[in-house]
Amino acid sequence: MGSIGADLSRKIHPEPVDEFDRLPDSLILLIFNIIGDVKALGRCCVVSRRFHSLVPQVDNVVVRVDCVISDDDPSSTSSSSSSASSAADKSRHPISSLFRIFFSGLFKPLQSLSQLIVPSARRLPLSEDFDCEAEQSIVTHHSPTQVLKNFNEIKLLRIELPTGELGIDEGVLLKWKAEFGSTLDSCVILGASSVVQGSNSNTTAISSDNGVESDNGSIPESFYTNGGLKLRVVWTISSLIAASARHYLLQPIIAEHTTLASLVLTDADGQGVLSMNKEQLEELRVKPLSASSASKRTLVPALNMRLWYAPHLELPNGVVLKGATLVAIRPSEQPKKEVAGSEANWVASAFEEPFRTAARMLVKRRTYCLEMNSF
């Protein structure tokens, strides 16, 4: 009689079915790869034993750094907001503070990235007594290197910093993109002393650091005497230092994850992008890195640079770049490589619109060639 009642109860109140159990592992992995974000994957990891075993197989991972913690800050366990505020203030300091800030930001502890570190039964909700609040209370700071160590098959990796390393004045445009192998392969830098809407700018060619001047395609004499050239040199060197510091600090990740086919290290405000493809990653693994351990960055070889300048550059969308400058950089001793398309396409492809169009417009102007020694 009892068994009949139990059967009737199961028919009236059937046990709930977890629909995820019906999905094949390959489909769940596809979902996890779309999610990408390492903190979201960490939360998925605590859902079940099955998820916990599948997350390390994800091959498309995004690590978003919440805050940068200075290595000389005694209160390294302070809140995320105060750490971010402190980092924002320090990012305005001279370029000499760049390495300390960035190095600590990548390898000092980071908040809320510990869910994938050292799997333990505590993280598996196998009983109704599992306390999520208690789990959250023991979350500590961990670096991207630590967080990524339990991923076994990463192919595409993107690390995103909260801000760029270079403190620039409000209204100034400075963007760069660098590609590295064992050392610098190429770097493209786009800058402007101010960015305004067309309706708010004078139609006369006016540059905020050159005053009113005619634009005949050449760099005006005033550019050399009023600090315009010096400012562009600072932009170029600062961007190269930031790129080489990022490259130096990625070595442990690249060495540990041999399946990597693409690595991008960028920042949330879009100031700078470092990228490495599969060939460049393999080059770094097999060729010794030329690095400065004192400054925590990869040494940059002697460089050939091509510069384009426009006192006033009006884009099709109405945005006006004043004092627009484009610099394309390659190592002097670099073997000639096949580049798809024209030089304009190679340089412009470093940026998204509308700055891609700006780069295309600038390379049509007179080209100035420069050289820089290694540093």
Side-chain angles (χ1 to χ4, degrees):
M1 192 68 170
S3 61
I4 295 176
D7 292 340
L8 290 174
S9 176
R10 281 195 291 269
K11 291 180 180 179
I12 298 173
H13 304 289
E15 293 183 3
V17 177
D18 186 348
E19 297 299 330
F20 268 104
D21 288 340
R22 300 183 177 183
L23 299 178
D25 288 353
S26 58
L27 183 54
I28 295 179
L29 278 173
L30 178 62
I31 295 171
F32 285 167
N33 279 308
I34 294 174
I35 292 174
D37 180 74
V38 72
K39 286 182 285 187
L41 292 173
R43 297 185 183 101
C44 293
C45 203
V46 304
V47 171
S48 67
R49 288 187 182 276
R50 185 185 185 198
F51 282 16
H52 191 277
S53 66
L54 289 176
V55 166
Q57 301 177 43
V58 170
D59 59 27
N60 185 5
V61 178
V62 179
V63 179
R64 292 185 175 89
V65 178
D66 292 328
C67 59
V68 176
I69 304 172
S70 175
D71 57 358
D72 60 0
D73 184 359
S75 57
S76 60
T77 57
S78 60
S79 66
S80 174
S81 59
S82 63
S83 298
S85 175
S86 173
D89 292 338
K90 292 180 181 178
S91 68
R92 306 301 178 191
H93 289 184
I95 196 65
S96 60
S97 65
L98 168 65
F99 306 117
R100 171 174 50 78
I101 294 172
F102 183 73
F103 180 78
S104 61
L106 194 56
F107 283 93
K108 290 288 282 186
L110 305 172
Q111 191 172 26
S112 302
L113 294 178
S114 63
Q115 304 241 8
L116 290 176
I117 307 301
V118 189
S120 68
R122 181 178 69 249
R123 293 187 173 87
L124 299 178
L126 301 181
S127 71
E128 296 178 358
D129 297 328
F130 181 80
D131 187 352
C132 293
E133 293 299 324
E135 173 68 16
Q136 291 298 323
S137 68
I138 62 172
V139 170
T140 57
H141 299 272
H142 290 278
S143 73
T145 306
Q146 291 174 303
V147 171
L148 294 171
K149 70 179 183 180
N150 279 359
F151 287 93
N152 305 320
E153 302 179 20
I154 301 179
K155 295 179 181 178
L156 308 177
L157 174 60
R158 179 183 177 90
I159 301 176
E160 186 175 291
L161 302 175
T163 58
E165 301 94 320
L166 308 179
I168 57 176
D169 296 333
E170 185 175 356
V172 172
L173 171 70
L174 180 58
K175 291 183 174 292
W176 58 266
K177 181 177 180 181
E179 294 189 359
F180 276 79
S182 60
T183 187
L184 180 71
D185 274 356
S186 67
C187 183
V188 183
I189 303 166
L190 177 65
S193 52
S194 65
V195 182
V196 297
Q197 291 296 324
S199 59
N200 299 326
S201 64
N202 193 323
T203 54
T204 305
I206 301 177
S207 170
S208 64
D209 53 12
N210 290 316
V212 179
E213 57 194 22
S214 61
D215 182 7
N216 59 7
S218 301
I219 294 180
E221 186 65 27
S222 59
F223 180 80
Y224 301 98
T225 59
N226 69 355
L229 177 59
K230 181 179 179 180
L231 177 63
R232 270 65 181 184
V233 171
V234 171
W235 286 352
T236 300
I237 295 176
S238 300
S239 299
L240 288 171
I241 290 175
S244 61
R246 292 188 184 188
H247 181 252
Y248 178 88
L249 298 171
L250 288 172
Q251 292 178 76
I253 294 175
I254 295 170
E256 185 169 341
H257 297 277
T258 57
T259 57
L260 271 174
S262 173
L263 190 156
V264 174
L265 177 52
T266 183
D267 44 76
D269 53 11
Q271 183 182 91
V273 178
L274 181 149
S275 67
M276 300 180 70
N277 59 31
K278 186 174 182 179
E279 179 182 296
Q280 292 164 334
L281 290 163
E282 186 59 30
E283 178 187 325
L284 177 59
R285 294 190 187 101
V286 300
K287 188 175 180 180
L289 177 71
S290 179
S292 170
S293 58
S295 56
K296 307 298 182 184
R297 66 178 181 86
T298 302
L299 293 179
V300 176
L303 303 171
N304 287 330
M305 298 184 289
R306 308 187 72 181
L307 181 146
W308 298 268
Y309 174 80
H312 177 101
L313 190 70
E314 184 168 357
L315 305 183
N317 64 353
V319 172
V320 175
L321 305 183
K322 295 185 177 182
T325 308
L326 179 68
V327 182
I329 303 170
R330 284 186 179 276
S332 301
E333 302 299 325
Q334 183 183 63
K336 297 296 183 182
K337 294 184 177 181
E338 292 295 329
V339 179
S342 66
E343 181 179 54
N345 290 332
W346 166 68
V347 174
S349 64
F351 307 107
E352 301 294 333
E353 294 293 357
F355 304 113
R356 177 171 296 187
T357 296
R360 291 187 185 281
M361 295 172 68
L362 282 167
V363 295
K364 294 178 181 178
R365 304 174 67 87
R366 181 174 296 181
T367 303
Y368 296 83
C369 297
L370 306 169
E371 293 184 359
M372 180 182 292
N373 294 328
S374 60
F375 67 94

